[in-house]
Amino acid sequence: MNVHQRQDAIVRLLRRNGTATIADLAKEVGASRRTLLRDIGALREAGFVIHAEPGRGGGLRLDPQSVQTTARLSVAEVFALLISVAAVRAAGGLPFSRLADAGLAKIEKALPPDKIQDLRRFLECLYIGELSPRVDTSDMGVMDPCLLPAFETAFLGRHPLRFQYRDAKGIVTKRLVEPQAMLILPPLWYLVAWDPARDDFRHFRMDRISEPEYVEGGTFRRRNAPFKKGIRPLGPLPS
C-alpha cells in the first residue's frame, strides 16, 4: 500500500467508524505508529480537520465538513470516473445518469487549469460504440490496474507504451506501441495504437494486456486513428 492509498484508507476508516485510535488505524493500514502519525499530519496539511480526543476511549475523529476528496483526485482517476459512467450509459444501465453527470461536473470544477487541459486531451482520445454480437466475450478477463496510469503518462507525454499481450489463442508476445486512442465497445475495452513494427494501427483488448509501462526518452507524433461506421467520439459529458 503506497502513501496515497494508505492516506485514503485512513480517511475512509475515520469516516466510517467515527473515531479510531492510532493503534487501530496503524493495524488496519499495516503501518507503524510513526508512519501513521506522519500520514495524519499530511492529511491535516491537505485540509482534513482531524481532532484528537484525549482520555480513555478517545482517539482520532474526522470532521465531516473538512472532507475535500475532489482536490486529491488525479487526472487518471477523474478520467476513470468519466469513462466508467460513459460505458455504463452506453450499455443502457445507468438509471441515475443526471445525478452522475452533476457529480462529475463538480469534480471537474475542482480540478486546477493544468489538469483540466490534460482531461480534455484525454477525452479527445476516447471513442465509444456497440460491440458486434459475433464477438466472443466468454474469455473476458480483468484489466491490469496499472494500465490506465501507464496509458495516462504515455498518451499525454507521447511516450511509447510497452506491455505483454495475450492473443485469442493464448500466445503471449511483447509489444512496443504508440498509444493513440481508447475504444469502448461494452463490455470490451480496446487500446488503439500505432504499431511501428507493423507500420499500421492495431486494436489491443485491454483485458489481455499485462505489465504495462511507458518508455521514457522516446516520443511519437499524434495520428488520427480510423474507425468503422458507428464509432463516435465521446466528447464532453453533459453538465
Side-chain angles (χ1 to χ4, degrees):
M1 186 179 293
N2 61 33
V3 175
H4 183 73
Q5 293 171 330
R6 192 172 62 243
Q7 292 178 4
D8 282 346
I10 292 170
V11 171
R12 286 198 304 271
L13 288 167
L14 289 175
R15 185 188 301 158
R16 293 172 183 173
N17 300 334
T19 61
T21 65
I22 293 291
D24 289 338
L25 289 174
K27 182 178 180 181
E28 287 287 343
V29 302
S32 66
R33 178 184 175 87
R34 172 182 284 184
T35 298
L36 201 286
L37 290 173
R38 188 164 56 244
D39 286 336
I40 294 297
L43 287 169
R44 283 171 170 159
E45 290 181 2
F48 292 90
V49 180
I50 301 175
H51 301 287
E53 300 180 344
R56 190 179 184 85
L60 298 174
R61 180 175 61 83
L62 175 67
D63 183 345
Q65 299 299 321
S66 73
V67 178
Q68 300 173 352
T69 54
T70 53
R72 293 167 54 81
L73 289 174
S74 67
V75 172
E77 289 168 334
V78 176
F79 184 62
L81 288 172
L82 288 168
I83 58 181
S84 296
V85 169
V88 174
R89 182 189 290 108
L94 189 63
F96 304 109
S97 60
R98 290 186 179 180
L99 286 174
D101 289 337
L104 287 171
K106 291 178 181 178
I107 290 174
E108 289 181 64
K109 289 178 181 177
L111 290 175
D114 59 328
K115 289 190 176 183
I116 285 291
Q117 187 176 18
D118 287 344
L119 183 60
R120 286 174 180 167
R121 291 172 59 194
F122 249 152
L123 290 174
E124 289 174 356
C125 83
L126 185 62
Y127 292 79
I128 197 163
E130 294 183 4
L131 186 69
S132 169
R134 296 190 297 272
V135 177
D136 182 16
T137 60
S138 61
D139 64 339
M140 187 172 64
V142 178
M143 280 188 276
D144 190 321
C146 296
L147 180 54
L148 186 57
F151 175 83
E152 175 199 14
T153 303
F155 178 79
L156 295 178
R158 299 189 182 185
H159 301 300
L161 189 65
R162 179 191 294 126
F163 54 82
Q164 291 191 4
Y165 189 71
R166 174 180 53 82
D167 65 16
K169 297 180 180 179
I171 299 174
V172 178
T173 55
K174 292 184 178 181
R175 302 298 182 94
L176 182 65
V177 301
E178 301 170 356
Q180 302 288 342
M182 190 179 294
L183 174 62
I184 304 176
L185 302 177
L188 297 181
W189 296 50
Y190 293 86
L191 167 65
V192 182
W194 178 261
D195 189 342
R198 304 194 181 189
D199 197 32
D200 200 0
F201 279 99
R202 305 290 294 177
H203 287 55
F204 300 95
R205 264 181 51 173
M206 293 174 67
D207 60 307
R208 293 176 176 171
I209 294 175
S210 61
E211 301 182 18
E213 59 178 353
Y214 67 93
V215 180
E216 293 184 349
T219 59
F220 60 85
R221 66 183 178 88
R222 193 73 75 230
R223 301 171 186 265
N224 292 321
F227 290 105
K228 296 180 180 179
K229 186 178 180 180
I231 302 299
R232 64 190 186 279
L234 175 65
L237 292 179
S239 58

